[in-house]
């Protein structure tokens, strides 16, 4: 793996995580319906957990001399998590976040392997934790859909 390929993997994971964070916050703000209080709090817990990891992720990238993507346009170009411009109902929001959370867990799994290959063990620890966090989010999202 070249340094350029490695950088791309990490930047894509960062931008996708940021897009996931924004989507969970979007759903926290905009969800409607009789289950509003539950969804509002549920999506709130997710975006706060993910949001709490963003700064550490950016600083990990800087420690590797990689610039953190930080413009909406750049984040959107790099992200594999599609932004949601409509306001789906709570169940659809949950389904969408579940698919995205599963995607994030897979991206962090691949990024972990890349970081290990490059000998960046501090970063790989962080990426393993993020994979774990998304598996937990996916569990709760999946359970909500039963
Ligand atoms: Fe809030």
């Amino acid at each position: 793996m070249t340094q350029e390929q490695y950088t791309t993997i990490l930047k894509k994971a960062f931008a996708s995580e940021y897009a996931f964070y924004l989507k969970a916050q979007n759903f926290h703000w905009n969800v409607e319906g009789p289950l509003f209080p539950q969804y509002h709090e549920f999506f709130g817990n997710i975006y706060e957990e993910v949001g709490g990891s963003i700064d550490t992720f950016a600083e990990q990238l800087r420690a590797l001399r990689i610039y953190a993507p930080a413009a909406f346009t750049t984040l959107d170009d790099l992200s594999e998590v599609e932004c949601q411009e409509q306001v789906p109902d709570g169940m659809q929001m949950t389904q969408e976040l579940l698919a995205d959370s599963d995607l994030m867990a897979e991206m962090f799994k691949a990024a972990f392997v890349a970081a290990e290959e490059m000998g960046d063990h501090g970063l790989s620890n962080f990426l393993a934790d993020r994979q774990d966090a998304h598996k937990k989010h996916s569990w709760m999202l999946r359970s909500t859909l039963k």
Side-chain angles (χ1 to χ4, degrees), residues 69-84:
F72 282 127
T73 44
T74 316
L75 290 165
D76 194 36
D77 284 347
L78 286 166
S79 175
E80 305 216 344
V81 170
E82 300 283 328
C83 65
Q84 176 55 270

Side-chain angles (χ1 to χ4, degrees), residues 66-107:
I66 297 167
Y67 288 112
F72 282 127
T73 44
T74 316
L75 290 165
D76 194 36
D77 284 347
L78 286 166
S79 175
E80 305 216 344
V81 170
E82 300 283 328
C83 65
Q84 176 55 270
E85 295 176 349
Q86 308 303 315
V87 181
D89 68 33
M91 285 292 266
Q92 289 170 315
M93 287 178 176
T94 305
Q95 271 163 354
E96 191 174 328
L97 271 189
L98 172 58
D100 291 337
S101 184
D102 283 346
L103 173 65
M104 288 316 307
E106 284 303 312
M107 287 186 86

Side-chain angles (χ1 to χ4, degrees), residues 14-29:
F14 180 84
S16 303
E17 184 77 320
Y18 206 103
F20 182 90
Y21 158 64
L22 182 61
K23 188 183 282 186
Q25 194 170 46
N26 168 358
F27 292 171
H28 165 75
W29 288 331

Side-chain angles (χ1 to χ4, degrees), residues 103-132:
L103 173 65
M104 288 316 307
E106 284 303 312
M107 287 186 86
F108 282 121
K109 186 176 173 181
F112 170 88
V113 172
E116 281 290 286
E117 189 183 322
M118 298 304 267
D120 291 328
H121 302 302
L123 176 62
S124 65
N125 277 343
F126 171 80
L127 296 168
D129 286 346
R130 294 313 305 149
Q131 183 191 352
D132 230 36

Side-chain angles (χ1 to χ4, degrees), residues 50-79:
V50 175
S53 75
I54 298 280
D55 186 62
T56 306
F57 198 173
E59 292 182 2
Q60 290 268 8
L61 296 183
R62 292 302 299 131
L64 299 178
R65 303 186 190 182
I66 297 167
Y67 288 112
F72 282 127
T73 44
T74 316
L75 290 165
D76 194 36
D77 284 347
L78 286 166
S79 175

